[in-house]
Amino acid sequence: SYQPQPLDPAEILKHVEQTRRTAPGGEVLTLARASNLMRQHGPRIRNARAAYVAAQEYADVKTPLPNPSIAIAPTFTDFAELLASEKWGVESALGWTLVLGGKRRLRDDLNAIRAEGAYIHYGAVEREEYLALRREFLGLAAAGRIVSARRDLEASVMSSLAIMKRLVEAAQATALD
């Protein structure tokens, strides 16, 4: 059966605020923990890492020798000649490429350079993301200090206001004497 379940906005906001302040396990999220989570799950870092791993895997495979080729074809000048004549044959060829000038070694060197470039890009992306995370953490720390200072100032103002009220009451009491 249907039972209404009213939503309490204050309770929901309190829960959201508490969730933002703590990590999923309930502990306070530190910069080191956030940095580790970012390195494991950050999409830009994961893409850069995958590109580096792929480039390194490609560089680890040495360039093979070219495959030999084989060709087989019938010998005749046109199709009508093939049907009319009993003279036809088969031609065949076997070939392979001679690699000269160290091109295989140069290709291997190029693949290694590409892998090194991907590694440098991976490091740069990771550093950029870490610096952005640290900037956000410093902003949150500064905001927390501002909130704390405002609370201290509010408490000081309320204390001063209470003292001023007592002074006014004392002055009114002496004015009546």
Side-chain angles (χ1 to χ4, degrees), residues 52-66:
Y52 163 64
V53 168
Q56 187 62 49
E57 292 287 331
Y58 192 72
D60 289 343
V61 176
K62 300 299 179 197
T63 304
L65 287 170

Side-chain angles (χ1 to χ4, degrees), residues 92-168:
S92 62
L94 178 64
W96 59 90
T97 304
L98 297 176
V99 181
L100 303 174
K103 290 182 181 179
R104 289 177 55 227
R105 182 182 48 81
L106 292 175
R107 180 162 291 155
D108 290 342
D109 292 345
L110 177 64
N111 291 339
I113 290 169
R114 286 181 178 158
E116 187 176 340
Y119 179 72
I120 291 169
H121 176 70
Y122 167 55
V125 167
E126 186 173 310
R127 187 71 181 159
E128 287 172 5
E129 292 294 314
Y130 173 76
L131 291 175
L133 177 68
R134 190 175 80 173
R135 183 174 43 250
E136 291 297 322
F137 256 78
L138 289 174
L140 287 173
R145 288 184 181 156
I146 290 171
V147 167
S148 177
R150 285 185 179 166
R151 285 182 184 152
D152 292 345
L153 182 62
E154 179 184 3
S156 175
V157 167
M158 295 306 282
S159 174
S160 296
L161 185 61
I163 292 171
M164 292 299 285
K165 283 183 180 179
R166 280 190 255 140
L167 287 174
V168 167

Side-chain angles (χ1 to χ4, degrees), residues 7-52:
L7 297 176
D8 182 15
E11 186 65 31
I12 293 171
L13 290 175
K14 181 181 174 186
H15 176 69
V16 168
E17 185 66 28
Q18 183 64 26
T19 304
R20 285 182 180 171
R21 289 185 184 181
T22 58
E27 72 273 5
V28 175
L29 186 63
T30 63
L31 179 61
R33 174 89 172 117
S35 175
N36 287 337
L37 289 172
M38 176 197 64
R39 284 187 180 101
Q40 292 172 2
H41 304 290
R44 286 190 64 213
I45 294 175
R46 290 177 73 181
N47 287 344
R49 185 184 315 120
Y52 163 64

